[in-house]
Amino acid sequence: VWTIEVTQVMKNKFYVQPITEEFEGGECSLPFTIETNLAWEVRAADAWLTFDKTSGTGTGAIETITATAAENPGVERTTTVTVTAGAETETFTVLQKGGKTLEFVTTELEMISYAGGEALLDVNASMDWTVTSSAEWLTVERAGAQVKATAAANSAFAARTAVVTIAGDGLTAEFEVAQDTPYELEGAEVLEDGSVKLDGAAGAKINIKEGLRYFTATLSIKEIYFGDAGQFWFFSETDGDFGNWMTLGKFRLRTNNGAVSNYDNSYYDEDLSTDVINATKTYTFTVTPDAETPGNGKFIFSLDNFEKTSHSWASPFAGTDTTFEWWFGFYGSVSDGSYYIIDSCTITPIAE
C-alpha cells in the first residue's frame, strides 16, 4: 500500500480596502483593512500619519489597521500610504482637514463689466483676516464672511485682472478678478504700455462695444505716420453710413439715412498736410444735437487746434432711443506704411 501526501499551495492573496473618509483637523484615527496570505508592511510618506501595526504575516483573513493623524495646526494636507505584500504594492492617498482654514469659497466669477461694478466673494476662515487688492482700479473691503470688490470703469483697450488676497494667522489665499474692455480690436495690437497700434497694412480698427447716440470721443495720439494713402475713419454702419473719414488734404462727413445720402467734403491742402497730421496729439470727434434746428444734429471734427463743423442733418436719433455701433481706424488695408498708436480713447455722452 502506497500512501501519497499531496500539498496544495495557496495562491497569493492581496487586497487592500483603503481609507476614503477625511481625517478631522485634530488628532484623529480611521481604520483600513488588508487581506493577504503574505508577509506585509505598511508605511506613510509623512510622519504625521502613524499606524498601530506596521507589519505582519497574513493568514488570508482580514487584518484591520488603525491609522492615526496627528493634530494639524495648518491648512489641509495629504499623504500617501503604501502597503506591500510580497512583490505586490498598493497605495492610496489620505487627506486631513486643516486645523486652520482660510480659503475662498467662491471659485468662479463672471468678468466684471467695463462700466464698473461690484462682486461679492465668499470666504471660509477659522481666524480673523484682512483683504487687499493688487490694483488701484479694484477696491476691496471685508463684509462679514465676504469680500466686497468694487471695480472702477475700464477705458483701456484690453481686459484687465487684479488679485484679491486674504491673509490671517500666517495663511493667505488669492482670487483673480477680471474686468472686460469696452473695445473689440480687429487687426489692432495692444502694446506693453497699454496703448494700441493700428496698422494700415492690416486694415486695423477698433469697435466700440456700447451703442452711442450723441457724444464726444477724444483720442490721445502717441505716435502717427500718415502716408500718401493714409486714412482715418470714425464711423457707424448702423442703419446706413454715418460718420467721418479723413485723408490727406481732405475731411469728409457723411450722413446716410437709407435713401438720402449727404456728404460734406472739405479740402484743406495746406491745413491737412502730411506734416500737420503726423504731428497730431489729439483727435476729437463729436456727434451733437443742432441747437439751432431741433431734431437735427451736427458733426464736429478736430485735430489739435484745427476744427471743422458739418452741415446740419436730420438726426436718426430724434424721438427714438436708437443707438449706433461705432468704430474707428482704417476702412481697409493700405500699403504705404500708415499707422497710428493711440494712448487712450475717452468717450463723453452729450445730454439731449
Side-chain angles (χ1 to χ4, degrees):
V1 177
W2 294 86
T3 301
I4 301 174
E5 184 176 299
V6 177
T7 303
Q8 185 177 25
V9 179
M10 182 182 295
K11 183 180 179 182
N12 289 347
K13 182 180 184 181
F14 181 44
Y15 178 73
V16 176
Q17 179 65 50
I19 295 170
T20 56
E21 297 179 58
E22 295 179 354
F23 288 90
E24 296 297 327
E27 182 175 320
C28 179
S29 296
L30 291 171
F32 68 98
T33 62
I34 300 173
E35 189 175 352
T36 185
N37 58 351
L38 303 170
W40 58 266
E41 290 185 354
V42 60
R43 64 183 184 276
D46 296 280
W48 59 263
L49 188 70
T50 58
F51 309 98
D52 64 338
K53 292 173 280 192
T54 57
S55 63
T57 300
T59 63
I62 295 174
E63 183 91 29
T64 299
I65 299 171
T66 300
T68 300
E71 182 178 357
N72 183 3
V75 296
E76 71 176 26
R77 58 188 179 183
T78 61
T79 193
T80 301
V81 177
T82 301
V83 183
T84 302
E88 297 187 61
T89 298
E90 293 284 347
T91 62
F92 60 90
T93 300
V94 297
L95 180 146
Q96 185 181 25
K97 297 176 182 177
K100 295 189 295 186
T101 300
L102 182 65
E103 61 185 356
F104 283 101
V105 178
T106 301
T107 57
E108 293 184 3
L109 183 69
E110 289 187 4
M111 186 175 287
I112 296 177
S113 166
Y114 54 80
E118 294 180 354
L120 293 174
L121 307 175
D122 296 322
V123 174
N124 178 29
S126 61
M127 78 289 290
D128 193 24
W129 51 274
T130 59
V131 59
T132 57
S133 168
S134 65
E136 291 184 1
W137 61 265
L138 186 72
T139 59
V140 291
E141 60 181 307
R142 182 172 172 177
Q146 294 178 312
V147 172
K148 180 182 178 181
T150 304
N154 182 15
S155 60
F157 294 110
R160 58 188 179 182
T161 59
V163 176
V164 177
T165 302
I166 52 177
D169 203 9
L171 302 180
T172 61
E174 295 182 344
F175 191 96
E176 186 175 84
V177 175
Q179 185 180 27
D180 200 4
T181 170
Y183 305 105
E184 180 182 339
L185 278 55
E186 292 188 32
E189 175 189 6
V190 178
L191 306 181
E192 288 186 5
D193 63 359
S195 61
V196 64
K197 181 177 181 180
L198 288 85
D199 195 331
K205 64 181 180 180
I206 298 175
N207 298 300
I208 302 172
K209 291 181 179 178
E210 183 175 2
L212 299 171
R213 288 167 64 85
Y214 299 113
F215 64 94
T216 293
T218 303
L219 305 182
S220 175
I221 309 297
K222 178 180 179 181
E223 186 178 325
I224 185 171
Y225 174 72
F226 223 72
D228 292 338
Q231 55 177 253
F232 189 90
W233 294 60
F234 205 112
F235 217 67
S236 174
E237 293 167 289
T238 305
D239 190 26
D241 299 329
F242 195 60
N244 82 90
W245 63 99
M246 174 182 66
T247 56
L248 281 179
K250 178 180 175 182
F251 170 69
R252 168 177 282 186
L253 299 162
R254 179 178 181 181
T255 57
N256 179 3
N257 295 324
V260 179
S261 183
N262 296 314
Y263 291 88
D264 192 349
N265 299 315
S266 299
Y267 295 85
Y268 299 96
D269 293 330
E270 295 180 1
D271 295 332
L272 287 183
S273 65
T274 301
D275 291 341
V276 168
I277 295 175
N278 288 344
T280 298
K281 295 300 179 184
T282 303
Y283 171 99
T284 303
F285 177 63
T286 297
V287 183
T288 183
D290 183 354
E292 298 178 357
T293 308
N296 278 19
K298 286 186 176 182
F299 294 135
I300 303 173
F301 156 81
S302 68
L303 292 177
D304 292 340
N305 297 321
F306 171 85
E307 184 173 291
K308 170 67 179 176
T309 300
S310 77
H311 62 272
S312 179
W313 36 261
S315 173
F317 306 129
T320 73
D321 58 359
T322 301
T323 60
F324 279 9
E325 296 176 358
W326 294 83
W327 59 267
F328 57 90
F330 292 91
Y331 185 80
S333 63
V334 296
S335 56
D336 63 349
S338 293
Y339 72 89
Y340 15 90
I341 299 176
I342 301 172
D343 267 328
S344 63
C345 174
T346 302
I347 297 175
T348 306
I350 295 176
E352 302 178 33

